[in-house]
Amino acid sequence: MPLILGIDTGGTFTDGVLLNLDTKEVKGKAKAFTTREDLSIGIRNCIENMGDLDPRQVQLVSLSTTLATNAIVEGRGCRVGLILIGHESTGDLPAQQAFVVRGGHDIKGIPVAELDLEAILKAVTEMRGQVDTIAISGYLSVRNPEHEQNAQKIIRELWDVPIVCAHQLTTALGFHERTVTACLNARLLPIIAELLTAVKAVLKEKRISAPLMIVKGDGSLMSETMTREKPIETILSGPAASIVGAVFLTGTESALALDMGGTTTDIAILENGRPRMNREGATVGGWKTRVEAAEISTFGLGGDSYIQVSKDQKLIIGPKRVWPLSVTASKYPILIEELKKVDPNRQIIDSQPIDCFMLVKKPVHKDQWNQTEWSIISALEESAHNIFALAEKVGRDPNLLPLKDLEQAQVIGRISFTPTDLLHVLNTFTDYNVAAAQEGARILAQRMRLEPDKFAAKVLSEIQAALCMTILQSFAYREGLRIKLSSEASVSFLLSSLLNGDHKRGFKSEITLEYPIVALGAPVSGYLPAVGSTLNTPVLIPTHAEVANAVGAASGQVAEQIRILIKPGVAGGYVVHAPWKREAFLYLEEAEKNALKKAKEVALERAQRAGVVNPELLVEKEEVLSHTAGGNDDVFLETRIEVTAIGHPSWEV
């Protein structure tokens, strides 16, 4: 029985499934904690948690990963040298060194200047030893890539260094965004290569010899080889996998897919079984790229969101992520006894009385931390501790503990009360330590001057209201509105009766969603049914909802897409702008015929190389005409051709 092993590395958990694609059955599933310092550890643990696994049955391994997204957000990666051809930078760029050389093209793909080979040689000499990879971005290279290609050829003859050309990553206009995309791709090359090597080592250790594929930000799959060349395309991989999983598990064509993970809630609207694509390009870590990805709205509310009570007894939920008390107390039961001794009314700067800390990874470089910080590390080596117990062990006032830098560097992790703990208190979800969650709720309830059951009900109500607001906010984003609904006084007034049950305004508000909600993620059964009632729409929580991302990774398809533009030539005839070159033809029919033939060949070849035996070809052709004023003649502007080869990858077991 051939199976596909789907793995998703989320912010908190790494999920795995064994999927029989023919019968659409999940034959096995497992979870393990994501190990951010080395993702392969969590992947190994996840595979081991599946129990007896016959490696001979696995014909494909498919991975969705947060690595590229996190690396960009955190500013990690190698040193990038940039060569700009024909135009200076118009904004900040993620590169360590940048050089501008003569060259570039106009909108017709005609050179505006000869490529300055001497300047390229000089730039390479200056960058040698100072950077690890090189990105090349030519002005209007999407209309003619020859200068980027020539520059790449010259550099390869001089220096054995990874080189990224902007025209290989996108066909969209936008010089700055295309340059940013090339730089980020170059920066990610060693990071994604390290991950793939580590994952391959785990698979070899488990005697799994199947090919490895990665989920792209649009939900489709790409080969290991292509991932090593274009790691930038894996941004938003995890959220995209959840959308594919939603469609696979429910069969629904039209829905609002909501994935509540540990760190975030991701929302996408599905129509005809697919999410809308962000054609302008995804924005990650403040960088606007030209990477097409599913249009997904992400909010800082998840199962591990930090729940605090402010000095004025207000609830604050998220966006910061912490470790749930219930989860960590399963490993460190001493936390329960320490929490019982906590004075709920004691104030601490930058912390809550229930906050506890654990060692995530012991640092290698001793000179990076001072004596007190090393005392904290040593105190947490044997066990996690509440902040007061930790202060006592270190011999410092809890307000004077230098925790911030250690936490920022992920040397230590903060443990506190979360939505996951609330579900344990409500007896909705009890996989971990209920007593620790109850102690956390007791302390926070006393801080709010409430009984524990009323405190739990209030937190539940506010989380459900926040989820409703995220759903409404996603519709605002869909319309291009960048306003934040929760901070708009008029919106708050109108929705108060709907979201908070406030019926003292003299009116009642109701909203009805036109889409059912497909709810995914481990916590959703505790929160989403009430959200559906509030928004007057059914909620579908499919079987295996808690591992939907891994299901999406396993059930994804390869989709190799080629875009070609045909425009009138300056001196007559027609010009084909393809990703590989610019080519002129005398007649439009001849140009279209040749362009379509080549596009089909390239799309098919790429899909077959990615493991699709019999790809299906989808062809879209759009002719753009301009109507002349006062006449009946139409003026030809351009023809756009899009060829996509799709299909499930398949290999002999």
Side-chain angles (χ1 to χ4, degrees):
M1 177 176 60
L3 300 172
I4 298 174
L5 173 59
I7 299 172
D8 171 72
T9 59
T12 305
F13 285 105
T14 294
D15 300 337
V17 299
L18 282 168
L19 181 69
N20 184 323
L21 200 57
D22 294 333
T23 63
K24 295 193 173 183
E25 288 180 279
V26 174
K27 308 300 290 186
K29 59 183 176 181
K31 280 180 173 283
F33 286 114
T34 295
T35 47
R36 284 196 165 202
E37 67 277 12
D38 183 351
L39 295 178
S40 66
I41 297 172
I43 291 171
R44 178 187 290 106
N45 294 339
C46 182
I47 294 173
E48 289 176 353
N49 289 345
M50 286 189 176
D52 294 331
L53 169 63
D54 184 352
R56 295 169 299 179
Q57 289 185 319
V58 179
Q59 75 163 18
L60 175 69
V61 180
S62 184
L63 174 71
S64 64
T65 175
T66 59
L67 184 64
T69 306
N70 292 341
I72 292 172
V73 170
E74 294 162 13
R76 291 188 288 113
C78 67
R79 300 170 299 173
V80 177
L82 171 64
I83 293 179
L84 294 159
I85 302 174
H87 206 289
E88 292 186 355
S89 165
T90 54
D92 292 336
L93 293 167
Q96 276 61 50
Q97 291 190 333
F99 297 85
V100 183
V101 304
R102 283 197 318 275
H105 296 80
D106 64 15
I107 195 69
K108 298 286 188 180
I110 299 171
V112 294
E114 189 177 345
L115 181 63
D116 191 339
L117 304 181
E118 288 296 323
I120 293 174
L121 294 174
K122 184 180 177 183
V124 170
T125 302
E126 290 192 36
M127 285 191 288
R128 191 183 291 272
Q130 304 299 312
V131 301
D132 308 300
T133 57
I134 291 179
I136 304 171
S137 182
Y139 193 65
L140 284 167
S141 61
V142 294
R143 290 291 190 259
N144 191 339
E146 64 178 354
H147 283 182
E148 285 188 11
Q149 291 167 339
N150 291 340
Q152 182 183 36
K153 183 180 178 182
I154 293 167
I155 296 169
R156 275 191 176 145
E157 291 173 355
L158 298 170
W159 191 8
D160 183 18
V161 64
I163 304 170
V164 173
C165 290
H167 79 271
Q168 296 169 330
L169 301 171
T170 176
T171 58
L173 293 170
F175 180 62
H176 180 70
E177 292 84 358
R178 200 164 62 250
T179 304
V180 166
T181 305
C183 290
L184 291 177
N185 193 77
R187 181 199 280 185
L188 290 170
L189 289 174
I191 289 181
I192 207 75
E194 186 179 346
L195 171 67
L196 294 176
T197 300
V199 172
K200 294 282 281 187
V202 172
L203 296 177
K204 185 177 180 181
E205 174 191 317
K206 300 300 177 188
R207 294 181 292 113
I208 298 172
S209 58
L212 175 64
M213 301 200 77
I214 316 296
V215 180
K216 294 162 59 176
D218 62 3
S220 65
L221 302 179
M222 65 176 170
S223 66
E224 176 192 347
T225 303
M226 194 61 70
T227 304
R228 290 181 185 273
E229 294 175 10
K230 300 181 180 182
I232 189 70
E233 294 199 1
T234 67
I235 59 175
L236 302 178
S237 168
S242 74
I243 296 168
V244 178
V247 175
F248 184 86
L249 290 171
T250 64
T252 184
E253 292 285 301
S254 176
L256 182 141
L258 182 148
D259 182 12
M260 189 176 185
T263 309
T264 61
T265 291
D266 301 314
I267 295 174
I269 296 169
L270 302 173
E271 289 176 344
N272 300 317
R274 293 182 59 83
R276 189 159 70 172
M277 288 292 123
N278 186 347
R279 300 290 186 191
E280 290 298 306
T283 299
V284 180
W287 296 108
K288 176 72 174 172
T289 76
R290 276 292 182 257
V291 179
E292 283 191 20
E295 196 169 87
I296 297 167
S297 301
T298 298
F299 305 92
L301 175 63
D304 299 344
S305 292
Y306 190 20
I307 296 178
Q308 305 174 71
V309 175
S310 66
K311 290 180 181 178
D312 56 353
Q313 299 178 6
K314 296 280 178 62
L315 271 176
I316 303 169
I317 304 173
K320 184 175 179 178
R321 172 193 174 270
V322 296
W323 291 88
L325 286 167
S326 54
V327 173
T328 45
S330 296
K331 184 176 181 181
Y332 305 112
I334 191 175
L335 295 179
I336 302 167
E337 297 306 314
E338 292 181 356
L339 287 169
K340 287 180 178 177
K341 300 174 184 176
V342 168
D343 177 3
N345 298 312
R346 190 167 175 184
Q347 297 294 336
I348 313 176
I349 300 170
D350 296 328
S351 292
Q352 300 277 291
I354 60 169
D355 287 358
C356 307
F357 294 88
M358 67 178 180
L359 186 66
V360 176
K361 60 178 179 181
K362 190 172 181 178
V364 176
H365 305 293
K366 291 192 174 182
D367 57 350
Q368 187 177 351
W369 308 104
N370 62 38
Q371 187 176 346
T372 307
E373 288 167 330
W374 272 109
S375 297
I376 292 170
I377 292 167
S378 299
L380 295 175
E381 276 197 82
E382 289 187 12
S383 174
H385 290 290
N386 176 258
I387 190 168
F388 296 113
L390 179 61
E392 191 175 325
K393 284 182 175 293
V394 175
R396 295 287 294 268
D397 184 285
N399 285 301
L400 300 178
L401 286 175
L403 300 168
K404 185 177 180 181
D405 289 344
L406 288 168
E407 191 177 1
Q408 185 97 21
Q410 296 183 22
V411 172
I412 65 173
R414 187 182 297 251
I415 307 158
S416 199
F417 194 76
T418 67
T420 297
D421 295 306
L422 177 65
L423 295 182
H424 282 75
V425 171
L426 296 171
N427 208 35
T428 305
F429 177 72
T430 56
D431 281 16
Y432 301 103
N433 194 299
V434 176
Q438 290 172 334
E439 285 301 318
R442 176 189 64 80
I443 294 167
L444 291 181
Q446 287 187 40
R447 286 175 64 80
M448 289 194 74
R449 308 290 187 267
L450 291 173
E451 294 297 319
D453 58 338
K454 290 186 178 179
F455 168 77
K458 181 173 179 59
V459 177
L460 177 64
S461 175
E462 293 214 11
I463 292 173
Q464 290 167 341
L467 286 168
C468 288
M469 186 62 86
T470 63
I471 290 171
L472 298 178
Q473 182 71 64
S474 70
F475 281 96
Y477 288 159
R478 188 192 188 200
E479 296 300 317
L481 301 174
R482 294 291 111 185
I483 59 171
K484 191 175 181 182
L485 297 181
S486 59
S487 60
E488 293 281 328
S490 56
V491 173
S492 177
F493 174 76
L494 289 172
L495 296 182
S496 58
S497 66
L498 174 75
L499 300 179
N500 306 318
D502 184 358
H503 301 298
K504 299 176 183 177
R505 307 248 187 215
F507 68 90
K508 183 178 180 181
S509 56
E510 282 193 5
I511 289 179
T512 301
L513 288 193
E514 294 182 347
Y515 300 87
I517 298 172
V518 176
L520 308 170
V524 292
S525 60
Y527 298 113
L528 267 296
V531 170
S533 297
T534 300
L535 299 178
N536 296 298
T537 193
V539 173
L540 311 175
I541 303 179
T543 306
H544 313 303
E546 77 282 8
V547 290
N549 289 34
V551 171
S555 59
Q557 295 188 89
V558 169
E560 291 292 342
Q561 193 172 75
I562 304 294
R563 288 201 182 103
I564 291 177
L565 184 68
I566 302 174
K567 295 183 78 72
V570 176
Y574 299 88
V575 177
V576 174
H577 301 281
W580 43 88
K581 71 175 185 179
R582 174 185 184 271
E583 198 171 3
F585 293 88
L586 185 59
Y587 301 106
L588 178 60
E589 184 180 348
E590 181 188 13
E592 289 182 354
K593 182 179 177 181
N594 278 271
L596 187 58
K597 181 176 181 290
K598 181 65 174 176
K600 286 180 177 180
E601 289 173 357
V602 173
L604 283 171
E605 188 268 333
R606 289 182 181 178
Q608 287 166 347
R609 207 171 42 167
V612 182
V613 178
N614 294 307
E616 178 187 356
L617 273 179
L618 304 177
V619 178
E620 290 186 23
K621 176 183 162 185
E622 180 185 3
E623 195 173 73
V624 182
L625 304 173
S626 175
H627 300 289
T628 57
N632 297 321
D633 295 332
D634 290 332
V635 177
F636 172 80
L637 296 180
E638 62 187 31
T639 295
R640 302 166 188 166
I641 295 175
E642 187 176 285
V643 177
T644 308
I646 64 170
H648 289 287
S650 178
W651 281 269
E652 291 296 326
V653 181

